[in-house]
Amino acid sequence: MNAPAAVPAANFLRNQIESDLDAQRFAGKQWAGGPADAARLQSEGQPDPARIRTRFPPEPNGYLHIGHAKSICLNFGLARDYGGVCHLRFDDTNPEKEDQEYVDAIIDMVRWLGFDWQANGTEHLYFASDYFGFMYECAEALIEAGHAYVDEQSADEMRAMRGTLTERGKDSPWRNRPAAESLALLREMRDGKHPNGSMALRARIDMGSPNINLRDPVLYRIRHAEHHRTGSAWSIYPMYTFAHPIEDALEGITHSICTLEFEDQRPFYDWLLARLAELGKLAKPLPHQYEFARMNLSYIVTSKRKLLQLVREERVDGWDDPRMPTLVGLRRRGYTPEAIRLLCERSGVSKSDSRLDYSLLEQALRDDLDPKAERRVAVLDPIKLVITNYPEGQSEACTAPRNPHDADAGVREFPFSRELWIERDDFREEAPKKYFRLFPGNTVRLKYAYVVRCTGFVKDDAGNVTEVHAEYLPDTKSGTPGADSVKVKGNITWVSAAHAVSAEIRLYDRLFADAHPDSGDKDFLDHLNPDSIQTVQGWLEPGIQAKPGMTWQFERLGYFTADLKLSTVDKPVINRAVTLRDSWTK
């Protein structure tokens, strides 16, 4: 089921869709139960039950990252809000970089974010490779109509003849070869009779166009490569810019929403669709492309090449390392789909590139988890506190709310005893000014338990404090009439040493120490944060069942999640998802 959404803010894409619907631009749109060319729509087409159609079209050459989440939420969200359908389509036109592993991971992440592609009894999951046969037919039709030719220049020669922004391009010596000759060569290319790079099919448009993308762009290139779905059936593969508009048209997409780097490609998108409609291959109304600014965050890189480098060089522990900006990494760290959708909503939709601070992602998680995460106590840097006047071997129950924002969540119960673990930072031999926690002679409240007065401490031979001593005031237990009889300024957390659960705690931070690690001429690897992970052995409040994926707020510390891959009830491995407040050094 598609994720629910709050009332969305207006933006130029919503305005465009509403204008198109008001003008009934798609009133005659047909649907044949699945992707269809003009001929099939003419024979089998029925009025399209979807008011609009959008698509999320990832290439399966890597794992989705936080930037992709914006496109997912936008395309699926617009379709949901306007009575439409969003397709999940894999643009698998580059066999050398694509793999079924990535297909499976992408499907998993789109579902995790809360979206699906089921509508009107149909699963709208599509692959560009399903259309290879039709794309090839389109290529032959373009040649026969004089709109394309086979060029035998090398890639370098084509680049040199392409011209510049101020200098027009030069015609290929093969530009005016007869259509029959180009057609024969294309068929030889298809049949594997020519080596990689020896020939390419190009559109014949305008080598003098001010838009370089219209200077006879390449439509097909030779690639003797195994495809993850079609195997060795093809020796030529369509360029993305050729495949993309055809895919949109076959699937009846109304609003093809891309990021800004495709804006210069829109004239070719429109040119190709218009030519194929004229040739009777595609039906009107044709799709239209719209561009928006991608969501960029500071302190991360999102280049698939660079992310792959981090994985291959073992700078991180795989694609799902909790420090990675991949959705699988964020999920493992403890991020929720609701938090990521919230960030995407807050980032807005515009046509101006900008970079959001990473802290906005962290705040979105806090805002999502605060009202719903159960509270627990954990001690990450433990030092023992001995209540010297509390009987040995005795314990008693203390209670605390599971969630202070949700009275219906009830209370949790945990034991108080003579020996406790507290945070090392909650004790000082000599207290600085305005330090209100434990130091000799001072009184503090042990949260949910008693007021205690520090009476001393023990050091080892190296001069390190190993144990703190205190006496409790018996009539001051939280929740009893005497709780307010002694006023204190400090309040510290604790767990009973005899009952606490030992756990491996992984304190994650930002992977990069530089806000823009790959900008300009920087080598992003030079800016890896050496403190992006610290592992400590901590103690958890008894009763925690650290099943993978469970999340809590550890009081005073932040939000923590049991690791999806490593944590077990017997051996908890807990990841810090985010601190309680932004503690990053500005």
Side-chain angles (χ1 to χ4, degrees):
M1 185 138 185
N2 283 347
V7 177
N11 58 61
F12 77 95
L13 288 174
R14 290 184 176 275
N15 293 341
Q16 180 66 54
I17 291 171
E18 290 167 9
S19 175
D20 289 341
L21 292 174
D22 289 343
Q24 296 189 316
R25 180 177 163 233
F26 313 113
K29 189 160 63 74
Q30 299 283 296
W31 179 251
D37 60 10
R40 184 182 172 199
L41 284 176
Q42 187 173 13
S43 62
E44 303 177 32
Q46 299 292 327
D48 193 342
R51 297 179 75 206
I52 67 169
R53 287 184 185 268
T54 60
R55 81 290 172 272
F56 173 61
E59 182 182 358
N61 63 349
Y63 282 69
L64 297 181
H65 54 65
I66 185 65
H68 291 114
K70 178 67 171 284
S71 182
I72 295 170
C73 292
L74 186 59
N75 280 287
F76 280 93
L78 289 171
R80 173 199 61 211
D81 294 346
Y82 290 100
V85 175
C86 183
H87 300 179
L88 176 60
R89 179 212 304 150
F90 289 93
D91 269 310
D92 54 345
T93 58
N94 191 353
E96 294 158 313
K97 295 183 178 181
E98 297 161 354
D99 194 272
Q100 186 62 38
E101 173 191 354
Y102 301 133
V103 171
D104 296 339
I106 289 168
I107 288 173
D108 182 35
M109 284 298 95
V110 177
R111 284 185 171 140
W112 176 72
L113 273 179
F115 302 103
D116 67 53
W117 38 94
Q118 296 276 350
N120 305 311
T122 301
E123 181 180 62
H124 297 280
L125 174 63
Y126 303 116
F127 293 82
S129 53
D130 290 337
Y131 313 138
F132 279 173
F134 180 76
M135 291 176 187
Y136 179 80
E137 292 177 20
C138 291
E140 288 205 350
L142 290 170
I143 291 175
E144 291 170 341
H147 298 310
Y149 62 97
V150 171
D151 193 345
E152 295 183 49
Q153 295 182 107
S154 69
D156 288 340
E157 288 171 333
M158 286 187 210
R159 195 175 299 111
M161 302 263 297
R162 199 179 184 199
T164 66
L165 293 174
T166 58
E167 179 185 351
R168 65 163 285 133
K170 297 177 182 178
D171 287 0
S172 163
W174 312 104
R175 193 173 196 266
N176 295 315
R177 76 188 323 161
E181 190 177 313
S182 282
L183 197 59
L185 287 172
L186 179 65
R187 290 170 180 172
E188 290 178 5
M189 291 164 57
R190 177 198 62 190
D191 296 339
K193 295 181 179 179
H194 298 281
N196 289 348
S198 61
M199 297 179 182
L201 180 68
R202 297 178 71 179
R204 183 185 284 109
I205 307 179
D206 181 5
M207 291 301 293
S209 172
N211 184 334
I212 291 180
N213 295 294
L214 292 179
R215 296 180 186 177
D216 293 10
V218 173
L219 307 182
Y220 267 92
R221 77 284 202 204
I222 301 172
R223 286 288 183 275
H224 295 281
E226 193 84 3
H227 189 279
H228 71 101
R229 297 186 76 241
T230 62
S232 57
W234 292 91
S235 295
I236 58 172
Y237 290 92
M239 300 298 290
Y240 173 81
T241 51
F242 176 71
H244 175 218
I246 294 175
E247 296 158 22
D248 283 349
L250 289 174
E251 294 177 19
I253 301 303
T254 59
H255 299 80
S256 181
I257 300 169
C258 306
T259 46
L260 282 177
E261 65 264 32
F262 293 100
E263 187 172 25
D264 287 344
Q265 291 287 353
R266 191 187 337 136
F268 175 66
Y269 181 101
D270 293 339
W271 178 91
L272 180 62
L273 291 181
R275 300 295 80 76
L276 293 176
E278 292 168 358
L279 295 171
K281 306 299 290 183
L282 298 173
K284 295 182 178 181
L286 296 168
H288 194 278
Q289 178 178 300
Y290 303 91
E291 305 85 21
F292 72 100
R294 66 169 65 239
M295 183 172 70
N296 299 305
L297 287 179
S298 61
Y299 294 99
I300 66 171
V301 298
T302 54
S303 159
K304 288 182 180 177
R305 177 183 61 81
K306 292 174 182 176
L307 294 177
L308 182 60
Q309 184 178 351
L310 290 171
V311 172
R312 286 181 172 170
E313 294 182 3
E314 299 184 351
R315 310 273 184 159
V316 294
D317 183 25
W319 288 98
D320 66 347
D321 186 300
R323 295 165 293 176
M324 287 279 273
T326 54
L327 295 181
V328 288
L330 290 167
R331 176 176 66 176
R332 185 176 169 194
R333 181 160 172 170
Y335 275 82
T336 62
E338 294 87 353
I340 292 174
R341 294 201 303 266
L342 180 60
L343 174 70
C344 292
E345 180 67 26
R346 288 174 173 176
S347 68
V349 179
S350 75
K351 292 183 73 74
S352 300
D353 273 323
S354 60
R355 188 179 293 268
L356 302 178
D357 193 82
Y358 192 87
S359 62
L360 296 178
L361 171 62
E362 296 173 324
Q363 190 57 47
L365 182 60
R366 296 185 190 104
D367 291 343
D368 176 54
L369 290 180
D370 181 52
K372 65 187 185 185
E374 288 200 359
R375 272 48 172 178
R376 295 289 188 272
V377 171
V379 176
L380 307 188
D381 185 13
I383 187 171
K384 185 164 285 188
L385 173 65
V386 179
I387 312 300
T388 56
N389 63 334
Y390 195 87
E392 292 189 33
Q394 181 174 313
S395 66
E396 61 184 279
C398 294
T399 59
R402 292 184 180 275
N403 187 318
H405 302 301
D406 182 6
D408 294 335
V411 298
R412 64 192 204 267
E413 188 175 283
F414 45 89
F416 175 83
S417 63
R418 177 183 172 89
E419 296 187 356
L420 312 173
W421 293 117
I422 63 170
E423 292 288 349
R424 187 172 300 274
D425 193 48
D426 284 340
F427 171 76
R428 291 283 191 277
E429 289 183 63
E430 297 180 7
K433 192 175 182 180
K434 294 186 178 180
Y435 182 85
F436 300 120
R437 286 166 279 171
L438 281 173
F439 57 88
N442 194 42
T443 54
V444 301
R445 175 168 294 282
L446 299 177
K447 196 172 184 182
Y448 309 122
Y450 294 95
V451 172
V452 297
R453 179 179 294 110
C454 182
T455 58
F457 54 90
V458 176
K459 288 186 174 182
D460 60 18
D461 294 340
N464 301 308
V465 176
T466 58
E467 197 171 275
V468 179
H469 291 174
E471 293 180 347
Y472 84 113
L473 308 185
D475 296 328
T476 61
K477 188 176 182 182
S478 296
T480 67
D484 296 328
S485 60
V486 178
K487 302 297 182 183
V488 296
K489 293 183 177 180
N491 199 326
I492 67 174
T493 51
W494 54 275
V495 291
S496 168
H499 305 88
V501 176
S502 176
E504 179 182 313
I505 312 290
R506 298 182 173 193
L507 304 175
Y508 288 108
D509 209 330
R510 302 176 188 184
L511 183 58
F512 293 96
D514 189 295
H516 311 294
D518 58 350
S519 63
D521 297 327
K522 294 178 183 175
D523 182 344
F524 72 108
L525 296 177
D526 291 340
H527 301 284
L528 287 167
N529 177 11
D531 299 319
S532 61
I533 178 173
Q534 299 180 52
T535 302
V536 301
Q537 200 67 27
W539 295 98
L540 310 181
E541 180 182 308
I544 281 185
Q545 297 291 307
K547 297 177 182 177
M550 292 192 68
T551 297
W552 314 270
Q553 184 197 100
F554 288 167
E555 298 189 27
R556 297 174 60 202
L557 299 175
Y559 294 95
F560 291 74
T561 297
D563 191 276
L564 284 169
K565 291 174 65 174
L566 304 175
S567 189
T568 66
V569 173
D570 295 332
K571 293 184 177 180
V573 177
I574 311 295
N575 301 330
R576 182 175 67 189
V578 67
T579 55
L580 282 182
R581 57 189 60 84
D582 185 6
S583 57
W584 189 257
T585 302
K586 302 299 182 185

